[in-house]
Amino acid sequence: MTTGAPTSAHTARPRRSRLRRYLPLGVAAWLVLEIWLLTLVAGATGGLTVFLLLVAGLVAGSVVIKRAGRRAFQSLNEALQRGGSPERGGGNGLMMLGGLLLIIPGLVSDAAGLLLLLPPVQKAVSRYTENALAKRLRTAAPGSLGDAFQQARIHRPDGKVVQGEVIREDRPEAGDQRPPLTR
């Protein structure tokens, strides 16, 4: 004897997203392309040249990541001293991604990393990413992770917004004096 909801013989599995379906195939194709290009260049110029290209990419990527990290930390530090937030569109994240692509061994990743170091490409990629993210957040289903980013106020279960303010009524003891909170 069983209790509960009846189960059907055929349970529908949720569909995999396109990204989860094609990402492994894309990574495999990218790795095959990188290895093929490296062997092609090694056959034309020699193994030492390919080795020097890979080491140069590693060193250049490390320098780019270090420089972008310093710049991001410096802008954050300056913004905190001013009392504001760091400026948007600094491009430090894309510079770090470009440095990471330079560090990854391969000629295609090096070319993509060098492209991401160019300011016009950074602006275009940044603009495209912001627009795609904004579009995805606008079309997010209620209760999903994207919807959580849109919720800025506290909602009651019936969907009404509860507006108010918090008033603190506790009085400090005679020996427990604290300075007033200022912003």
Side-chain angles (χ1 to χ4, degrees), residues 88 123-139:
R88 282 183 74 196
K123 287 180 184 176
V125 168
S126 176
R127 196 173 325 120
Y128 173 77
T129 306
E130 285 178 8
N131 290 340
L133 185 63
K135 178 183 172 190
R136 190 162 281 220
L137 286 177
R138 275 194 307 270
T139 61

Side-chain angles (χ1 to χ4, degrees), residues 54 57-58 60-61 64 97-105 109-111 113-114 117:
L54 293 176
L58 177 76
V64 166
L97 179 62
L100 179 67
L101 287 172
L102 283 172
I103 288 176
I104 294 174
S109 62
D110 287 349
L114 288 173
L117 297 181

